[in-house]
């Protein structure tokens, strides 16, 4: 990949979009992962106002440390960058305490609570975005957004712009190296950070991003019968998750009313 051309293109795209939208810049949620690290850096490079928000909810110490280190690094490099830490743990725990349907250990309820963390962060991003005249900048990559739908609807999927959604995860890591992000971000193991127990993306998905990328590039051209061994296993994972998450990737369905029914 021609990383510098890609970097310049995204920075220009972000700047042009914000100028045309007549906003001051962007607000980005910083998690300590490579996606938010790359996106926040690209936003900073526009020269527009950038607000970084770290929003821990019972977060692991290593995730918090990476996020804090990255924010400090960007603030030193870019005078247009500001950063805040908003501890959402009390908000989440207050909600958790009044949700009586929650059953500890039941998968569906635990997943609902995990997604609630992401939705609280989305509310926070839009709150500060509106306060400061900023657009919410998404951090999803191509595999997450258009492959397996590995994001929360109206959570981290609730954004105004999505600058790296046409980049595979391995390409995002290439940009991280080219942008000289701090080492801990470049080497961060992908995780959504939505669980009390440590769960990497690979733990949850059952496949690595390079494995998923291989299938996504061939999806719709090759079928399960064209694969064998591990590739077939990953195809089945991708196919199942893609179909289950299709509702996230298409416009909200509208029930059309026939025009003749509008007449008396």
């Amino acid at each position: 990949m021609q990383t510098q051309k890609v970097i310049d293109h995204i920075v220009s795209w972000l700047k042009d979009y914000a100028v045309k939208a007549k906003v001051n810049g962007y607000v980005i949620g910083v998690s300590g992962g490579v996606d938010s690290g790359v996106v926040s850096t690209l936003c900073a490079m526009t020269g527009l106002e950038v607000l970084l928000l770290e929003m821990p909810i019972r977060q692991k110490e290593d995730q918090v440390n990476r996020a804090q280190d990255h924010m400090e690094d960007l603030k030193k490099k870019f005078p247009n960058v500001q950063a805040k830490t908003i501890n959402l743990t009390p908000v989440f725990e207050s909600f958790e305490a009044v949700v009586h349907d929650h059953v500890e250990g039941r998968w569906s309820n635990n997943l609902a609570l995990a997604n609630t963390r992401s939705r609280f962060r989305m509310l926070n991003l839009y709150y500060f975005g509106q306060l400061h005249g900023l657009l919410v900048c998404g951090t999803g990559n191509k595999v997450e957004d258009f492959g397996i739908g590995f994001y929360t609807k109206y959570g981290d999927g609730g954004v105004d712009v999505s600058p790296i959604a046409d980049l595979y995860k391995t390409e995002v890591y290439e940009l991280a190296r080219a942008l000289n992000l701090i080492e801990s971000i470049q080497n961060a193991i992908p995780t959504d950070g939505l669980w009390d127990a440590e769960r990497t993306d690979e733990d949850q998905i059952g496949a690595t991003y390079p494995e998923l990328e291989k299938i996504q590039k061939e999806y719709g051209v090759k079928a399960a019968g064209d694969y064998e061994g591990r590739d077939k296993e990953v195809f089945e994972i991708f196919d199942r998750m893609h179909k289950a998450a299709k509702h996230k990737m298409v416009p909200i369905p509208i029930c059309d009313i026939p025009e003749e029914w509008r007449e008396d």
Side-chain angles (χ1 to χ4, degrees), residues 50-75:
V50 172
L51 176 60
L52 311 180
L53 294 182
E54 188 219 358
M55 300 167 283
I57 301 176
R58 298 204 294 240
Q59 227 62 38
K60 299 294 179 292
E61 185 178 1
D62 63 320
Q63 296 170 16
V64 171
N65 290 342
R66 287 199 306 271
Q68 292 283 349
D69 291 346
H70 173 68
M71 292 193 301
E72 289 302 315
D73 185 59
L74 275 194
K75 282 164 58 180

PDB file of all heavy atoms in Angstrom, residues 50-75:
ATOM      1  N   VAL A  50      -9.458  19.388  17.414  1.00  0.00           N
ATOM      2  CA  VAL A  50      -9.633  17.960  17.678  1.00  0.00           C
ATOM      3  C   VAL A  50      -9.745  17.739  19.183  1.00  0.00           C
ATOM      4  O   VAL A  50      -8.910  18.213  19.952  1.00  0.00           O
ATOM      5  CB  VAL A  50      -8.452  17.131  17.114  1.00  0.00           C
ATOM      6  CG1 VAL A  50      -8.551  15.672  17.572  1.00  0.00           C
ATOM      7  CG2 VAL A  50      -8.433  17.207  15.588  1.00  0.00           C
ATOM      8  N   LEU A  51     -10.795  17.021  19.571  1.00  0.00           N
ATOM      9  CA  LEU A  51     -10.990  16.680  20.975  1.00  0.00           C
ATOM     10  C   LEU A  51     -10.935  15.164  21.117  1.00  0.00           C
ATOM     11  O   LEU A  51     -11.727  14.445  20.498  1.00  0.00           O
ATOM     12  CB  LEU A  51     -12.339  17.204  21.482  1.00  0.00           C
ATOM     13  CG  LEU A  51     -12.711  16.831  22.919  1.00  0.00           C
ATOM     14  CD1 LEU A  51     -11.677  17.355  23.919  1.00  0.00           C
ATOM     15  CD2 LEU A  51     -14.105  17.345  23.258  1.00  0.00           C
ATOM     16  N   LEU A  52      -9.998  14.684  21.912  1.00  0.00           N
ATOM     17  CA  LEU A  52      -9.860  13.253  22.188  1.00  0.00           C
ATOM     18  C   LEU A  52     -10.550  12.946  23.504  1.00  0.00           C
ATOM     19  O   LEU A  52     -10.293  13.603  24.512  1.00  0.00           O
ATOM     20  CB  LEU A  52      -8.391  12.865  22.277  1.00  0.00           C
ATOM     21  CG  LEU A  52      -7.464  13.330  21.148  1.00  0.00           C
ATOM     22  CD1 LEU A  52      -6.051  12.854  21.407  1.00  0.00           C
ATOM     23  CD2 LEU A  52      -7.965  12.844  19.799  1.00  0.00           C
ATOM     24  N   LEU A  53     -11.408  11.937  23.491  1.00  0.00           N
ATOM     25  CA  LEU A  53     -12.095  11.541  24.712  1.00  0.00           C
ATOM     26  C   LEU A  53     -11.759  10.097  25.059  1.00  0.00           C
ATOM     27  O   LEU A  53     -11.988   9.181  24.259  1.00  0.00           O
ATOM     28  CB  LEU A  53     -13.611  11.666  24.546  1.00  0.00           C
ATOM     29  CG  LEU A  53     -14.197  13.064  24.362  1.00  0.00           C
ATOM     30  CD1 LEU A  53     -15.717  12.976  24.277  1.00  0.00           C
ATOM     31  CD2 LEU A  53     -13.785  13.993  25.490  1.00  0.00           C
ATOM     32  N   GLU A  54     -11.195   9.917  26.242  1.00  0.00           N
ATOM     33  CA  GLU A  54     -11.050   8.571  26.782  1.00  0.00           C
ATOM     34  C   GLU A  54     -12.210   8.366  27.741  1.00  0.00           C
ATOM     35  O   GLU A  54     -12.471   9.205  28.605  1.00  0.00           O
ATOM     36  CB  GLU A  54      -9.721   8.420  27.528  1.00  0.00           C
ATOM     37  CG  GLU A  54      -9.450   6.979  27.935  1.00  0.00           C
ATOM     38  CD  GLU A  54      -8.827   6.856  29.312  1.00  0.00           C
ATOM     39  OE1 GLU A  54      -8.560   7.884  29.952  1.00  0.00           O
ATOM     40  OE2 GLU A  54      -8.646   5.711  29.758  1.00  0.00           O
ATOM     41  N   MET A  55     -12.935   7.266  27.580  1.00  0.00           N
ATOM     42  CA  MET A  55     -14.176   7.056  28.327  1.00  0.00           C
ATOM     43  C   MET A  55     -14.183   5.682  28.987  1.00  0.00           C
ATOM     44  O   MET A  55     -14.911   4.774  28.557  1.00  0.00           O
ATOM     45  CB  MET A  55     -15.376   7.225  27.382  1.00  0.00           C
ATOM     46  CG  MET A  55     -15.459   8.606  26.748  1.00  0.00           C
ATOM     47  SD  MET A  55     -16.629   8.702  25.370  1.00  0.00           S
ATOM     48  CE  MET A  55     -15.673   7.890  24.072  1.00  0.00           C
ATOM     49  N   PRO A  56     -13.379   5.490  30.020  1.00  0.00           N
ATOM     50  CA  PRO A  56     -13.275   4.169  30.642  1.00  0.00           C
ATOM     51  C   PRO A  56     -14.555   3.740  31.351  1.00  0.00           C
ATOM     52  O   PRO A  56     -15.241   4.556  31.980  1.00  0.00           O
ATOM     53  CB  PRO A  56     -12.129   4.345  31.638  1.00  0.00           C
ATOM     54  CG  PRO A  56     -12.108   5.803  31.946  1.00  0.00           C
ATOM     55  CD  PRO A  56     -12.521   6.486  30.681  1.00  0.00           C
ATOM     56  N   ILE A  57     -14.873   2.469  31.184  1.00  0.00           N
ATOM     57  CA  ILE A  57     -15.953   1.821  31.943  1.00  0.00           C
ATOM     58  C   ILE A  57     -15.360   0.506  32.463  1.00  0.00           C
ATOM     59  O   ILE A  57     -15.260  -0.474  31.739  1.00  0.00           O
ATOM     60  CB  ILE A  57     -17.190   1.544  31.074  1.00  0.00           C
ATOM     61  CG1 ILE A  57     -17.734   2.842  30.474  1.00  0.00           C
ATOM     62  CG2 ILE A  57     -18.273   0.838  31.906  1.00  0.00           C
ATOM     63  CD1 ILE A  57     -18.905   2.644  29.517  1.00  0.00           C
ATOM     64  N   ARG A  58     -14.928   0.523  33.709  1.00  0.00           N
ATOM     65  CA  ARG A  58     -14.253  -0.638  34.304  1.00  0.00           C
ATOM     66  C   ARG A  58     -13.164  -1.175  33.360  1.00  0.00           C
ATOM     67  O   ARG A  58     -13.056  -2.370  33.135  1.00  0.00           O
ATOM     68  CB  ARG A  58     -15.271  -1.735  34.652  1.00  0.00           C
ATOM     69  CG  ARG A  58     -16.289  -1.298  35.679  1.00  0.00           C
ATOM     70  CD  ARG A  58     -16.907  -2.439  36.449  1.00  0.00           C
ATOM     71  NE  ARG A  58     -17.725  -3.332  35.687  1.00  0.00           N
ATOM     72  CZ  ARG A  58     -19.033  -3.572  35.915  1.00  0.00           C
ATOM     73  NH1 ARG A  58     -19.646  -2.939  36.907  1.00  0.00           N
ATOM     74  NH2 ARG A  58     -19.699  -4.419  35.190  1.00  0.00           N
ATOM     75  N   GLN A  59     -12.368  -0.247  32.827  1.00  0.00           N
ATOM     76  CA  GLN A  59     -11.378  -0.589  31.803  1.00  0.00           C
ATOM     77  C   GLN A  59     -10.138  -1.229  32.404  1.00  0.00           C
ATOM     78  O   GLN A  59      -9.744  -0.930  33.529  1.00  0.00           O
ATOM     79  CB  GLN A  59     -10.977   0.678  31.046  1.00  0.00           C
ATOM     80  CG  GLN A  59     -10.979   0.534  29.549  1.00  0.00           C
ATOM     81  CD  GLN A  59     -12.353   0.205  29.013  1.00  0.00           C
ATOM     82  OE1 GLN A  59     -13.357   0.716  29.495  1.00  0.00           O
ATOM     83  NE2 GLN A  59     -12.410  -0.666  28.019  1.00  0.00           N
ATOM     84  N   LYS A  60      -9.501  -2.104  31.621  1.00  0.00           N
ATOM     85  CA  LYS A  60      -8.240  -2.717  32.026  1.00  0.00           C
ATOM     86  C   LYS A  60      -7.142  -1.655  32.056  1.00  0.00           C
ATOM     87  O   LYS A  60      -7.128  -0.732  31.244  1.00  0.00           O
ATOM     88  CB  LYS A  60      -7.851  -3.833  31.045  1.00  0.00           C
ATOM     89  CG  LYS A  60      -8.873  -4.958  30.972  1.00  0.00           C
ATOM     90  CD  LYS A  60      -8.950  -5.704  32.286  1.00  0.00           C
ATOM     91  CE  LYS A  60      -9.986  -6.813  32.258  1.00  0.00           C
ATOM     92  NZ  LYS A  60     -11.372  -6.327  32.162  1.00  0.00           N
ATOM     93  N   GLU A  61      -6.208  -1.831  32.986  1.00  0.00           N
ATOM     94  CA  GLU A  61      -5.163  -0.825  33.200  1.00  0.00           C
ATOM     95  C   GLU A  61      -4.321  -0.597  31.956  1.00  0.00           C
ATOM     96  O   GLU A  61      -3.955   0.541  31.645  1.00  0.00           O
ATOM     97  CB  GLU A  61      -4.271  -1.243  34.373  1.00  0.00           C
ATOM     98  CG  GLU A  61      -3.229  -0.194  34.746  1.00  0.00           C
ATOM     99  CD  GLU A  61      -2.381  -0.605  35.938  1.00  0.00           C
ATOM    100  OE1 GLU A  61      -2.586  -1.716  36.461  1.00  0.00           O
ATOM    101  OE2 GLU A  61      -1.502   0.197  36.340  1.00  0.00           O
ATOM    102  N   ASP A  62      -4.000  -1.669  31.232  1.00  0.00           N
ATOM    103  CA  ASP A  62      -3.151  -1.501  30.048  1.00  0.00           C
ATOM    104  C   ASP A  62      -3.852  -0.689  28.973  1.00  0.00           C
ATOM    105  O   ASP A  62      -3.236   0.109  28.261  1.00  0.00           O
ATOM    106  CB  ASP A  62      -2.696  -2.857  29.499  1.00  0.00           C
ATOM    107  CG  ASP A  62      -3.854  -3.715  29.013  1.00  0.00           C
ATOM    108  OD1 ASP A  62      -4.919  -3.727  29.684  1.00  0.00           O
ATOM    109  OD2 ASP A  62      -3.713  -4.386  27.970  1.00  0.00           O
ATOM    110  N   GLN A  63      -5.181  -0.848  28.834  1.00  0.00           N
ATOM    111  CA  GLN A  63      -5.935  -0.068  27.862  1.00  0.00           C
ATOM    112  C   GLN A  63      -5.942   1.408  28.245  1.00  0.00           C
ATOM    113  O   GLN A  63      -5.748   2.282  27.393  1.00  0.00           O
ATOM    114  CB  GLN A  63      -7.369  -0.596  27.766  1.00  0.00           C
ATOM    115  CG  GLN A  63      -7.469  -2.024  27.251  1.00  0.00           C
ATOM    116  CD  GLN A  63      -8.869  -2.598  27.398  1.00  0.00           C
ATOM    117  OE1 GLN A  63      -9.840  -1.864  27.603  1.00  0.00           O
ATOM    118  NE2 GLN A  63      -8.985  -3.907  27.313  1.00  0.00           N
ATOM    119  N   VAL A  64      -6.155   1.682  29.524  1.00  0.00           N
ATOM    120  CA  VAL A  64      -6.156   3.059  30.013  1.00  0.00           C
ATOM    121  C   VAL A  64      -4.792   3.704  29.794  1.00  0.00           C
ATOM    122  O   VAL A  64      -4.694   4.840  29.315  1.00  0.00           O
ATOM    123  CB  VAL A  64      -6.539   3.112  31.507  1.00  0.00           C
ATOM    124  CG1 VAL A  64      -6.330   4.518  32.067  1.00  0.00           C
ATOM    125  CG2 VAL A  64      -7.979   2.664  31.700  1.00  0.00           C
ATOM    126  N   ASN A  65      -3.737   2.978  30.123  1.00  0.00           N
ATOM    127  CA  ASN A  65      -2.383   3.521  29.982  1.00  0.00           C
ATOM    128  C   ASN A  65      -2.055   3.846  28.536  1.00  0.00           C
ATOM    129  O   ASN A  65      -1.474   4.905  28.237  1.00  0.00           O
ATOM    130  CB  ASN A  65      -1.351   2.543  30.538  1.00  0.00           C
ATOM    131  CG  ASN A  65      -1.423   2.429  32.053  1.00  0.00           C
ATOM    132  OD1 ASN A  65      -1.985   3.298  32.719  1.00  0.00           O
ATOM    133  ND2 ASN A  65      -0.861   1.367  32.602  1.00  0.00           N
ATOM    134  N   ARG A  66      -2.417   2.942  27.615  1.00  0.00           N
ATOM    135  CA  ARG A  66      -2.149   3.195  26.192  1.00  0.00           C
ATOM    136  C   ARG A  66      -2.918   4.424  25.715  1.00  0.00           C
ATOM    137  O   ARG A  66      -2.372   5.263  24.991  1.00  0.00           O
ATOM    138  CB  ARG A  66      -2.525   1.976  25.341  1.00  0.00           C
ATOM    139  CG  ARG A  66      -1.581   0.801  25.460  1.00  0.00           C
ATOM    140  CD  ARG A  66      -1.734  -0.152  24.277  1.00  0.00           C
ATOM    141  NE  ARG A  66      -3.111  -0.599  24.084  1.00  0.00           N
ATOM    142  CZ  ARG A  66      -3.641  -1.673  24.656  1.00  0.00           C
ATOM    143  NH1 ARG A  66      -2.900  -2.408  25.490  1.00  0.00           N
ATOM    144  NH2 ARG A  66      -4.885  -2.034  24.423  1.00  0.00           N
ATOM    145  N   ALA A  67      -4.172   4.517  26.099  1.00  0.00           N
ATOM    146  CA  ALA A  67      -4.983   5.664  25.681  1.00  0.00           C
ATOM    147  C   ALA A  67      -4.398   6.964  26.211  1.00  0.00           C
ATOM    148  O   ALA A  67      -4.261   7.953  25.470  1.00  0.00           O
ATOM    149  CB  ALA A  67      -6.422   5.491  26.164  1.00  0.00           C
ATOM    150  N   GLN A  68      -4.023   6.978  27.484  1.00  0.00           N
ATOM    151  CA  GLN A  68      -3.457   8.182  28.091  1.00  0.00           C
ATOM    152  C   GLN A  68      -2.130   8.563  27.441  1.00  0.00           C
ATOM    153  O   GLN A  68      -1.882   9.737  27.141  1.00  0.00           O
ATOM    154  CB  GLN A  68      -3.256   7.964  29.598  1.00  0.00           C
ATOM    155  CG  GLN A  68      -4.549   7.832  30.388  1.00  0.00           C
ATOM    156  CD  GLN A  68      -5.220   9.170  30.626  1.00  0.00           C
ATOM    157  OE1 GLN A  68      -4.645  10.231  30.387  1.00  0.00           O
ATOM    158  NE2 GLN A  68      -6.457   9.143  31.094  1.00  0.00           N
ATOM    159  N   ASP A  69      -1.280   7.569  27.209  1.00  0.00           N
ATOM    160  CA  ASP A  69       0.018   7.835  26.585  1.00  0.00           C
ATOM    161  C   ASP A  69      -0.155   8.388  25.170  1.00  0.00           C
ATOM    162  O   ASP A  69       0.573   9.300  24.753  1.00  0.00           O
ATOM    163  CB  ASP A  69       0.871   6.563  26.550  1.00  0.00           C
ATOM    164  CG  ASP A  69       1.337   6.125  27.932  1.00  0.00           C
ATOM    165  OD1 ASP A  69       1.235   6.931  28.876  1.00  0.00           O
ATOM    166  OD2 ASP A  69       1.795   4.963  28.063  1.00  0.00           O
ATOM    167  N   HIS A  70      -1.101   7.817  24.437  1.00  0.00           N
ATOM    168  CA  HIS A  70      -1.340   8.284  23.068  1.00  0.00           C
ATOM    169  C   HIS A  70      -1.857   9.720  23.068  1.00  0.00           C
ATOM    170  O   HIS A  70      -1.412  10.557  22.264  1.00  0.00           O
ATOM    171  CB  HIS A  70      -2.336   7.368  22.362  1.00  0.00           C
ATOM    172  CG  HIS A  70      -2.771   7.867  21.025  1.00  0.00           C
ATOM    173  ND1 HIS A  70      -1.928   7.931  19.940  1.00  0.00           N
ATOM    174  CD2 HIS A  70      -3.972   8.370  20.595  1.00  0.00           C
ATOM    175  CE1 HIS A  70      -2.580   8.430  18.891  1.00  0.00           C
ATOM    176  NE2 HIS A  70      -3.812   8.704  19.274  1.00  0.00           N
ATOM    177  N   MET A  71      -2.783  10.024  23.958  1.00  0.00           N
ATOM    178  CA  MET A  71      -3.327  11.382  24.008  1.00  0.00           C
ATOM    179  C   MET A  71      -2.246  12.398  24.357  1.00  0.00           C
ATOM    180  O   MET A  71      -2.186  13.483  23.756  1.00  0.00           O
ATOM    181  CB  MET A  71      -4.488  11.448  25.007  1.00  0.00           C
ATOM    182  CG  MET A  71      -5.713  10.671  24.558  1.00  0.00           C
ATOM    183  SD  MET A  71      -7.234  11.011  25.517  1.00  0.00           S
ATOM    184  CE  MET A  71      -6.721  10.558  27.174  1.00  0.00           C
ATOM    185  N   GLU A  72      -1.391  12.048  25.299  1.00  0.00           N
ATOM    186  CA  GLU A  72      -0.296  12.955  25.661  1.00  0.00           C
ATOM    187  C   GLU A  72       0.660  13.149  24.495  1.00  0.00           C
ATOM    188  O   GLU A  72       1.147  14.260  24.253  1.00  0.00           O
ATOM    189  CB  GLU A  72       0.453  12.416  26.890  1.00  0.00           C
ATOM    190  CG  GLU A  72      -0.331  12.518  28.180  1.00  0.00           C
ATOM    191  CD  GLU A  72      -0.738  13.950  28.498  1.00  0.00           C
ATOM    192  OE1 GLU A  72       0.110  14.862  28.365  1.00  0.00           O
ATOM    193  OE2 GLU A  72      -1.912  14.171  28.848  1.00  0.00           O
ATOM    194  N   ASP A  73       0.928  12.078  23.776  1.00  0.00           N
ATOM    195  CA  ASP A  73       1.825  12.150  22.616  1.00  0.00           C
ATOM    196  C   ASP A  73       1.260  13.075  21.543  1.00  0.00           C
ATOM    197  O   ASP A  73       1.977  13.923  20.993  1.00  0.00           O
ATOM    198  CB  ASP A  73       2.040  10.739  22.040  1.00  0.00           C
ATOM    199  CG  ASP A  73       3.046  10.720  20.901  1.00  0.00           C
ATOM    200  OD1 ASP A  73       4.205  11.120  21.131  1.00  0.00           O
ATOM    201  OD2 ASP A  73       2.679  10.291  19.788  1.00  0.00           O
ATOM    202  N   LEU A  74      -0.045  12.949  21.254  1.00  0.00           N
ATOM    203  CA  LEU A  74      -0.660  13.800  20.236  1.00  0.00           C
ATOM    204  C   LEU A  74      -0.712  15.255  20.673  1.00  0.00           C
ATOM    205  O   LEU A  74      -0.519  16.165  19.870  1.00  0.00           O
ATOM    206  CB  LEU A  74      -2.075  13.310  19.908  1.00  0.00           C
ATOM    207  CG  LEU A  74      -2.229  12.206  18.864  1.00  0.00           C
ATOM    208  CD1 LEU A  74      -3.681  12.103  18.413  1.00  0.00           C
ATOM    209  CD2 LEU A  74      -1.332  12.413  17.656  1.00  0.00           C
ATOM    210  N   LYS A  75      -0.985  15.508  21.947  1.00  0.00           N
ATOM    211  CA  LYS A  75      -1.027  16.878  22.448  1.00  0.00           C
ATOM    212  C   LYS A  75       0.336  17.562  22.314  1.00  0.00           C
ATOM    213  O   LYS A  75       0.417  18.757  22.029  1.00  0.00           O
ATOM    214  CB  LYS A  75      -1.481  16.885  23.910  1.00  0.00           C
ATOM    215  CG  LYS A  75      -2.981  16.698  24.086  1.00  0.00           C
ATOM    216  CD  LYS A  75      -3.363  16.326  25.518  1.00  0.00           C
ATOM    217  CE  LYS A  75      -2.909  17.347  26.511  1.00  0.00           C
ATOM    218  NZ  LYS A  75      -3.283  16.957  27.903  1.00  0.00           N
TER     219      LYS A  75
END
